[in-house]
Amino acid sequence: MRRTLTTLALAAVAAGIGGLLFAWSGLYSVAATKEHWTPVEMFFEMAMRSSVETHAAFVEEPPDLNDPALIRRGAGHYEDGCAPCHGAPDAPRNPISRHMMPEPPYLPNQVADWKPRELYWITLNGIKYAGMPAWPAQQRKDEPWAVTAFLLRLKGMSAEEYRGLAFGGTQPDGRARVADLTGPVSGPETGRLGETLQDCARCHGRDGNGGADGAFPRLAGQSADYLFETLRAYAQGNRFSGIMQPVAAGLDEEAIRALADHYAAQKPAMPSFAAAVPDPKLLELGRRIAESGDPGRGVAACSGCHEGAGDSRHARDPRYPTLDGLHASYIAGQLRLWRDEARGNTALSRIMEAAVRRMTDEQIDAVAEYYSRRAHGDAMVNGDDGKS
């Protein structure tokens, strides 16, 4: 028995030394033009899938991955961040990605091989030595679920449906008309602004109202200072978002200022609501928190910063956003990010973190619903659905 163990140990040592000598010799080609030997490729594939399955087993899925807003948000990112390497129903993969080793899979054909929690884990963490990056903003554990929700719809998706999700109100070929995007902007910035707005309009709309599904926040009517500081914070990574940071990082301050001025000049659309008016008690709670806070829990009043004297459309400080008419799901989501200290690290972050740290889920939902039903300073809490 001892002799057998000794023989096995010596064989293992010899194999290890042989492997190191082979690697040191440089005989194994690491060129992307050379495919792995079949046993090596099979080993890597097995190791990768086993790793993903093991780590993803501890991921807790959200309650609704069929939420249209979540799917739309994921589609908006997929077009910019995923489609160049993994392809889309209306376009093949970028030719450069076809020469990577390993070659990125064409996801419309292969996404069904993975479970939702596995897709999420891969999106959040990336995969070593495969060219698959981790999510740019690791603080935003929520955002990869949007990509996952979209990926679950990808199999069998038509090119028309894909363009509708990924490009929103822009042209069917995905290219918006510059004249429609620039609006009242004129002068030497017009052409450049139009090109930049082509990307923004896919998600936020040409008029900045973001659509009725709540997938993206409304930008129209926010102050230019707030929009400028927000885009700059995204670009610098001080406001966390794996969706917005890659977009904003490619803009210089001149382009950011032009975008901020454009969207600040747009007229906010009257909100509309598909659901019935919520419980009046919830709206009343939201009104109380907005106007007076909850001193007993150390929750500050929202109106102190987000409403101006005599005109609630504009905040007292132009660096603060107005909340009137924003989608309830967006407001609630942002408040929870603040509460979890996952919203950002800007000069004003500590103020909001302290303001919402002790808010309950009920208070967050109440405030979000209350502000979503205000339009241009009028409280929409008496059964008005915003369509009259």
Side-chain angles (χ1 to χ4, degrees):
M1 183 67 177
R2 181 179 299 176
R3 180 177 297 179
T4 301
L5 292 175
T6 301
T7 301
L8 290 175
L10 291 174
V13 171
I17 294 174
L20 287 173
L21 290 174
F22 178 71
W24 176 79
S25 72
L27 293 176
Y28 187 82
S29 175
V30 296
T33 55
K34 302 292 185 180
E35 294 184 359
H36 289 301
W37 295 337
T38 299
V40 174
E41 183 175 2
M42 292 175 63
F43 175 80
F44 286 157
E45 178 72 11
M46 178 272 294
M48 183 271 290
R49 286 189 171 270
S50 297
S51 177
V52 172
E53 290 173 4
T54 298
H55 289 85
F58 300 95
V59 172
E60 183 178 352
E61 295 184 22
D64 185 12
L65 288 174
N66 294 313
D67 179 3
L70 197 65
I71 295 169
R72 170 91 168 85
R73 199 175 304 129
H77 175 76
Y78 184 90
E79 171 62 21
D80 283 334
C82 309
C85 287
H86 292 289
D90 71 335
R93 287 167 288 179
N94 186 302
I96 294 177
S97 72
R98 302 295 299 274
H99 294 279
M100 295 172 63
M101 178 59 65
E103 181 181 330
Y106 181 65
L107 285 182
N109 289 346
Q110 296 191 25
V111 71
D113 295 342
W114 299 93
K115 297 176 182 178
R117 63 170 63 96
E118 294 169 351
L119 293 171
Y120 170 83
W121 191 90
I122 293 172
T123 304
L124 176 65
N125 296 285
I127 298 178
K128 292 178 180 178
Y129 312 122
M132 174 66 191
W135 193 251
Q138 285 289 296
Q139 302 88 344
R140 294 296 301 273
K141 308 299 184 184
D142 58 308
E143 289 183 327
W145 279 121
V147 178
T148 302
F150 169 73
L151 291 175
L152 295 174
R153 290 277 301 274
L154 193 54
K155 183 179 180 180
M157 181 179 290
S158 68
E160 182 179 7
E161 182 182 3
Y162 176 78
R163 287 194 295 268
L165 289 171
F167 294 101
T170 56
Q171 294 301 294
D173 64 356
R175 300 183 64 82
R177 293 191 297 265
V178 173
D180 292 340
L181 295 175
T182 55
V185 179
S186 60
E189 294 291 339
T190 302
R192 185 179 181 189
L193 176 61
E195 294 175 3
T196 304
L197 278 169
Q198 289 189 44
D199 289 330
C200 302
R202 291 197 298 105
C203 297
H204 295 286
R206 300 180 178 97
D207 61 0
N209 280 293
D213 58 7
F216 304 101
R218 190 185 71 187
L219 306 181
Q222 297 288 356
S223 74
D225 286 342
Y226 168 72
L227 294 173
F228 176 81
E229 292 296 337
T230 297
L231 278 171
R232 189 164 64 172
Y234 277 133
Q236 295 172 348
N238 292 326
R239 178 168 171 181
F240 310 139
S241 175
I243 295 175
M244 278 300 302
Q245 184 178 356
V247 177
L251 304 174
D252 58 26
E253 290 209 358
E254 188 178 15
I256 290 175
R257 176 59 69 185
L259 284 170
D261 289 343
H262 169 79
Y263 278 120
Q266 305 307 305
K267 183 178 180 181
M270 182 70 73
S272 61
F273 305 98
V277 176
D279 184 348
K281 293 182 179 179
L282 186 71
L283 292 176
E284 174 59 21
L285 174 61
R287 184 192 66 78
R288 291 202 310 269
I289 298 295
E291 295 180 358
S292 305
D294 184 350
R297 295 185 61 85
V299 177
C302 309
S303 59
C305 295
H306 293 283
E307 297 178 23
D311 180 8
S312 64
R313 177 182 170 185
H314 296 290
R316 296 178 186 275
D317 188 322
R319 294 174 299 170
Y320 296 122
T322 179
L323 305 180
D324 290 353
L326 293 177
H327 293 284
S329 60
Y330 175 75
I331 298 175
Q334 297 303 299
L335 287 174
R336 288 187 170 91
L337 288 174
W338 284 120
R339 190 178 63 181
D340 297 340
E341 299 184 4
R343 175 56 155 62
N345 188 29
T346 66
L348 302 177
S349 293
R350 299 296 176 263
I351 297 175
M352 275 301 298
E353 288 175 4
V356 304
R357 184 173 296 128
R358 295 181 176 86
M359 287 186 75
T360 65
D361 284 334
E362 182 185 26
Q363 289 176 330
I364 286 176
D365 292 337
V367 168
E369 200 65 56
Y370 172 73
Y371 273 111
S372 75
R373 292 177 180 273
R374 288 165 55 104
H376 310 297
D378 299 323
M380 301 172 65
V381 296
N382 296 312
D384 184 358
D385 64 358
K387 300 178 182 178
S388 59

